[in-house]
Amino acid sequence: MESLIGTTTDQAPANPAATDDMLATQPIGYWSGLVHAAVTRHLRDAMARLDVTQPQYWVLNRVNGSPAAPSREEVVAQLTHLADGPHEIARVVDQLLHRAWLRIDDGQRLRLHLTDAGEAARARLRELATEVRAVVHKGISDEEYVAALKVLRTMVANVEVDGASGNPV
């Protein structure tokens, strides 16, 4: 059989048992969705053992990674697109305030800051994320990983549309 690489191929039905010579015909949506679900489940299961959620980790990182302390509204606006619903990040901020992992400054700007306990939790979760990454990346070189992400990035660019016109960008 000649190589399918670099050619346009017919789309085959998703097949988890597809052999290497059949992979070029496999639907990217199926495989990227499978990877997303498996990796997210693995990470969230690991975090659950520490009684933390992935959105809580996002908020801790966002508050920590800002050059200036962000407001609640800024954190919600910047992370809602990642969340499971429009109100999830606001709830997470409330949970982290209740846990005393976040505090609000006394100024008029109502900026969020990590507490010492929040920074300790963030650091532990970063270690956990690194451990999970090692499991996910086992047997995959950095070069292979970069190549895979470049392909995915190109696929996204190929199908992105301008929201106003509906035309490809």
Side-chain angles (χ1 to χ4, degrees):
M1 177 175 192
E2 71 181 76
S3 173
L4 297 174
I5 298 176
T7 63
T8 302
T9 59
D10 288 335
Q11 181 75 48
N15 179 358
T19 58
D20 287 357
D21 63 329
M22 297 170 52
L23 288 177
T25 67
Q26 289 293 287
I28 187 62
Y30 169 79
W31 287 97
S32 62
L34 194 64
V35 169
H36 173 75
V39 170
T40 300
R41 182 177 50 253
H42 184 76
L43 177 62
R44 289 182 176 186
D45 287 349
M47 288 181 168
R49 288 189 283 278
L50 300 177
D51 192 28
V52 179
T53 67
Q54 187 180 29
Q56 289 172 337
Y57 182 47
W58 297 336
V59 170
L60 292 171
N61 276 331
R62 173 62 188 91
V63 171
N64 179 69
S66 298
S71 69
R72 172 193 192 90
E73 292 75 21
E74 289 168 339
V75 170
V76 169
Q78 291 172 358
L79 296 177
T80 294
H81 73 282
L82 299 171
D84 290 336
H87 306 291
E88 182 176 23
I89 300 302
R91 290 180 187 128
V92 166
V93 170
D94 290 338
Q95 291 167 344
L96 296 176
L97 287 166
H98 178 76
R99 275 192 179 188
W101 287 4
L102 289 180
R103 66 175 176 78
I104 297 175
D105 67 20
D106 294 330
Q108 292 180 318
R109 305 280 329 245
L110 299 177
R111 299 295 178 170
L112 296 171
H113 302 272
L114 291 180
T115 63
D116 290 343
E119 174 53 26
R122 189 200 62 76
R124 174 62 190 116
L125 289 166
R126 183 169 176 90
E127 289 173 16
L128 178 65
T130 300
E131 293 166 10
V132 167
R133 184 184 192 281
V135 170
V136 171
H137 288 238
K138 184 178 177 184
I140 301 167
S141 71
D142 285 348
E143 293 79 17
E144 290 170 312
Y145 182 72
V146 168
L149 291 186
K150 284 177 151 182
V151 167
L152 292 172
R153 186 167 56 189
T154 299
M155 288 179 172
V156 169
N158 288 344
V159 298
E160 276 297 313
V161 294
D162 176 20
S165 67
N167 294 322
V169 253

